[in-house]
Amino acid sequence: MTRRVVVTGAGLVSPLGDSPAALHAALCEGRGGVKPLELFGAGGARCTLAGEVSGFDAQKYLGRRNLRPLDRTGRLAASAAQLALDDAGWTPELRGSREVGLVLGTMFGGLHTISEFDRRAVEAGPAYASPMDFANTVINAAAGQAAIIHGLRGVNSTVSAGAASGLQAVAYAADLIRRGRARSLVAGGAEELCFESFYGFDRARVLCGSGGDGEGEYPVPFDARRNGFAQAEGAALLVLEESESARGRGARVLAEVEGYGCAFDASLGENEESAVGAIARAIGSALEDASVRPEEVDCLSASANGGVSGDRREARAVASVFGGRARELPVTAVKSALGEALGASGALQAVAMLGTMRDGVLPGVRNFERGDDGFPLASVSPAGRRVEVRRAVISSVGFDGHCCALLLARPASQ
């Protein structure tokens, strides 16, 4: 028996606020969280923009708990988990009597902590490497620590699938519930902004303006001027529950996870047709999983981040799935305002889509002017628009071949 999976809560910490309502309002108003970098010195990096969670203080969300063992990634994840649990009505007392688990997606985990630990070990010797840092050098540290802090006694898993990690974590959690392996799970992604990853991406010339063309920084998804993405950080988590279980405790239902699909580009982006095919397979699989036809989808939240080839491939993939209707399908790309938050991005997209389902407004693509010649998605617009959304597809595409798509449906009562 396949069980229905519903979303009963959401929590986030992002460059555009720390509540689903605040995030959606900022996106619809065209505000941007991508600004000149302040969190650390960028050295000789060509890119100067990033999506920071300015002034982040985990104690605002977690109170007087002992946070010393947690690095920035762990604090972002634990903070978003607290907000999601509160939003879904999972009190500490309720968590004590019922089992709740956590599935967290992340691309790098605590990369800065890993780098600092290794740096001290190399420069001063192994005896001087911090044992406190060692616990955060494993990719599943943030998930384990967040579960300990919040008393989550159920499944505890970490998904690391590049920039698609957050959405794949939601898909994996939904599958566990559908198959009866869990009843309630907190799922999503978390990623920190740090010098090590920022400088690495800049050296790889994939950040906006890092190509040295002298034309400025344009992290504008689908726009003809785009020249790379702006790296960002944040955490976003959804509370997923088996439908009957959620109804039994009187939970509010925000959406239903109707289907998902995953695919992998074995060429790792080297072959255009292979990359397009993988994205299309992920979206097509999500529709097939839900027995939904392309014409029954009301809008799309794209993974596009301003990357020259990545955005083009995703646009082509969408056109191949939706055919001629792709020119009319309302499309948003929230990374135009948030930046590329890597393992957190797909989950942030999902939270933003909950706002669109609730308020009937799809955010625009910030700073978008025009697409490439022959651009197949004619409905991309810089302005938000009214959209009656019954079903929406969320697409998440990594740099390493991982692709994931999620189909969310609005509750019938909304």
Side-chain angles (χ1 to χ4, degrees), residues 108-191:
F108 291 123
L111 181 59
H112 180 67
T113 305
I114 296 168
S115 300
E116 285 298 302
F117 180 85
D118 291 345
R119 186 177 294 114
R120 290 188 189 121
V122 170
E123 293 178 352
Y128 292 93
S130 170
M132 185 72 75
D133 285 348
F134 178 75
N136 290 309
T137 61
V138 293
I139 198 77
N140 63 335
Q145 290 164 336
I148 291 170
I149 284 177
H150 299 302
L152 306 180
R153 300 176 293 112
V155 171
N156 189 264
S157 294
T158 297
V159 174
S160 186
S165 299
L167 202 64
Q168 285 215 22
V170 176
Y172 177 58
D175 200 48
L176 289 173
I177 294 173
R178 289 167 75 175
R179 299 180 185 280
R181 303 293 296 275
R183 287 185 178 273
S184 306
L185 293 168
V186 183
E191 206 78 57

Side-chain angles (χ1 to χ4, degrees), residues 222 279 301-304 309-319 395 397:
F222 296 133
I279 302 168
S301 175
S303 182
S309 61
D311 289 13
R312 180 183 66 248
R313 291 165 177 175
E314 187 173 15
R316 287 187 57 200
V318 171
S395 171
V397 182

